[in-house]
Amino acid sequence: MKATLSAPGRVRALDYVAGVTVTAGGRTLPLGGIALPNRRLVLRWLRRQALRLADGHGRSPAPAAPWLGARDVRPVTFHGSDAPEALRAWAGDHGSQDQAISALESGRPALLTVVDPFVGLCVTLGGWPVDLCGWAAAASANHPYPPRTEGV
């Protein structure tokens, strides 16, 4: 995981991850993901992916995003128009965006799942807060290193 500078001389880990998965026939496959330093960038990436997937319905997908050097997710072929319209509606709804930001602020994941009912295809877009530094500190407090036994 890449680290960023948050204050002079202080390094902090990227705090969020975002990803898109597809589930069909009982199998879940990742379409792509990214680690980002803040929740606003997570939401921006998720909105772009939602619109990209929706706009790819029935035609070739939009080119990859140049900002952040982020790879866009692989395209999905929908068989109906319900899922693409749900993705567009979510990406354009300010209330949904506020709910997603609030979820991330409170330490919960922000998830959206759309279903293509014709073939049972589920596409899930999600963002999660990640506290690797806090996890590592808690883990080391619960499981201290064994005592050194040099020269024994």
Side-chain angles (χ1 to χ4, degrees), residues 19-104:
V20 179
T21 59
V22 63
T23 304
R27 297 186 69 197
T28 300
L29 301 168
L31 296 178
I34 190 168
L36 294 162
N38 67 58
R39 60 188 168 269
R40 297 225 179 266
L41 289 177
V42 167
L43 200 56
R44 183 174 167 187
W45 188 84
L46 290 172
R47 274 196 315 260
R48 173 164 169 77
Q49 301 316 310
L51 292 172
R52 188 169 182 277
L53 289 169
D55 292 344
H57 177 61
R59 59 182 167 206
S60 59
W67 57 272
L68 294 177
R71 241 181 355 178
D72 284 329
V73 298
R74 290 176 276 183
V76 172
T77 301
F78 295 106
H79 294 83
S81 61
D82 293 343
E85 288 307 313
L87 289 167
R88 275 190 201 91
W90 179 82
D93 181 27
H94 294 293
S96 295
Q97 306 308 309
D98 289 343
Q99 283 180 324
I101 285 287
S102 294
L104 292 171

